[in-house]
Amino acid sequence: MTLTLIDRTRRTDDATDRGAAPEAAAPEPAPAQAPEAAPRRAAGREADGLAVASFVLSLVGLLAFNLLLGPTAIVMALLSLARRTRRPGRAYLGLALGVADLVVLAVLVTVNGTVAWNFGA
């Protein structure tokens, strides 16, 4: 940046020494930024959020709504792993517990013939 300013000053001084009118100074372009820096951070945070949400939904799915929350947790875990989350352990736990939700559902349907928990006799 400093070299650019000195160079423009020299050109202006040379032009005035020769008797010519000084050139209008062009606005200086903004420094180049990495175009993918902000989206990567946002995608990383989104992937981390998906991993945590997958884990939480799969835990809740073990107790209730396993028909809905199990597959949702599986999809969210796979999305977070595909987006390279910084929390792969939580994504893998969400994936495993989402599959466990579906296994619990299959056991409930097989044993009780219903999709509901039955704690009574």
Side-chain angles (χ1 to χ4, degrees):
M1 186 167 155
T2 306
L3 294 175
T4 305
L5 293 176
I6 292 172
D7 190 32
R8 285 187 183 163
T9 306
R10 285 184 189 163
R11 276 193 251 148
T12 305
D13 290 343
D14 290 343
T16 54
D17 289 343
R18 286 187 239 141
E23 295 178 12
E28 202 166 312
Q33 297 176 354
E36 297 179 14
R40 274 191 192 161
R41 275 187 258 142
R45 288 182 185 165
E46 183 179 316
D48 292 346
L50 283 171
V52 172
S54 166
F55 176 68
V56 170
L57 287 178
S58 61
L59 280 177
V60 173
L62 285 172
L63 300 175
F65 300 117
N66 44 3
L67 179 62
L68 177 67
L69 296 180
T72 304
I74 292 170
V75 169
M76 290 176 113
L78 292 175
L79 281 174
S80 68
L81 289 171
R83 294 180 184 178
R84 300 189 190 266
T85 181
R86 291 180 300 210
R87 298 177 176 178
R90 289 190 185 167
Y92 285 122
L93 278 173
L95 182 64
L97 290 174
V99 171
D101 289 348
L102 296 179
V103 169
V104 166
L105 177 68
V107 168
L108 285 175
V109 169
T110 304
V111 172
N112 292 340
T114 183
V115 187
W117 288 93
N118 187 5
F119 292 115

